[in-house]
Amino acid sequence: IDMKGHARRELEIQHSMGYDLEQVIADLIDNSIDANAENIWVIFDEEVYDNRRTFYVAIVDDGKGIPDGKISSVMDFGAEREYDELDLGKFGVGLKASSLSQAKEITLLSKTRDDPGKINLRRLSSEIVNERDEWVLIAELREEMQTDAIGIAKSELANLESGSAVVLEDMHKLKHSIGSSGKRETYLSEEYL
């Protein structure tokens, strides 16, 4: 079987999935609740990514964090997750699938009480999937990936004993929904009420 182009095609399908932004954010907040977070911050703003103005959303929590050995499986790669009976994320659509429906770049940053000086990081980058034609998570960011959103997530986590941040960048659906700058304020105020 010729598998060339397989990951690229699957990525296009993931980007076109019909999840709403509200569903995606609710799912990410459910994950934070499952991690015993007492506080969850939703940060939304614009940044320049790849020489374009794009939107990002960062969900930051003060939960228990994810150790480096488990962070890849949380991004829906490899291992099946074990669920407690009351875990909300059990019924969610999964970090990879839901987030790719809204964003082209997804970064998970986390730190635990056991190693509070270290931030564990994995990124699922559409740019890299397209480049390599394979599903791959990276643990080190390229220079252009050191964005405002990543800086804010790292800064927020630095102030916490433990916690996680999911950063969704290059939000392709949001850009199309908002359209021209004239409609933009109206759309954004409706979307984020």
Side-chain angles (χ1 to χ4, degrees), residues 21 25 41-46 54-59 171 174 178 184 187-189 191-192:
L21 182 58
I25 290 175
W41 298 270
V42 179
I43 303 161
F44 167 77
D45 209 343
E46 276 185 284
T54 65
F55 295 95
Y56 73 84
V57 172
I59 314 292
M171 299 185 72
L174 198 51
I178 291 171
R184 186 171 166 197
Y187 178 83
L188 289 176
S189 60
E191 190 75 27
Y192 290 93

Side-chain angles (χ1 to χ4, degrees), residues 81-187:
R81 183 174 150 196
E82 287 182 26
Y83 292 94
D84 290 338
E85 200 173 326
L86 298 173
D87 276 0
L88 301 168
K90 186 183 217 169
F91 304 106
V93 289
L95 179 59
K96 179 177 118 185
S98 63
S99 298
L100 281 173
S101 75
Q102 295 292 325
K104 294 193 174 179
E105 303 292 314
I106 304 157
T107 310
L108 173 58
L109 306 94
S110 195
K111 75 178 199 180
T112 62
R113 279 192 177 86
D114 296 339
D115 197 355
K118 180 175 186 247
I119 293 180
N120 305 311
L121 179 150
R122 293 294 184 281
R123 184 178 184 104
L124 176 57
S125 167
S126 296
E127 179 187 334
I128 289 175
V129 171
N130 278 319
E131 210 173 84
R132 299 185 187 175
D133 192 23
E134 64 178 331
W135 289 102
V136 62
L137 288 176
I138 58 171
E140 298 285 327
L141 298 183
R142 293 176 173 177
E143 192 179 334
E144 75 270 12
M145 295 174 175
Q146 299 286 357
T147 57
D148 293 348
I150 297 297
I152 288 165
K154 285 181 175 176
S155 168
E156 293 293 327
L157 284 176
N159 295 322
L160 301 170
E161 267 187 52
S162 64
S164 297
V166 177
V167 182
L168 307 180
E169 294 179 279
D170 200 1
M171 299 185 72
H172 53 95
K173 285 214 176 113
L174 198 51
K175 189 173 72 178
H176 295 304
S177 303
I178 291 171
S180 70
S181 57
K183 293 186 204 162
R184 186 171 166 197
E185 290 303 314
T186 311
Y187 178 83

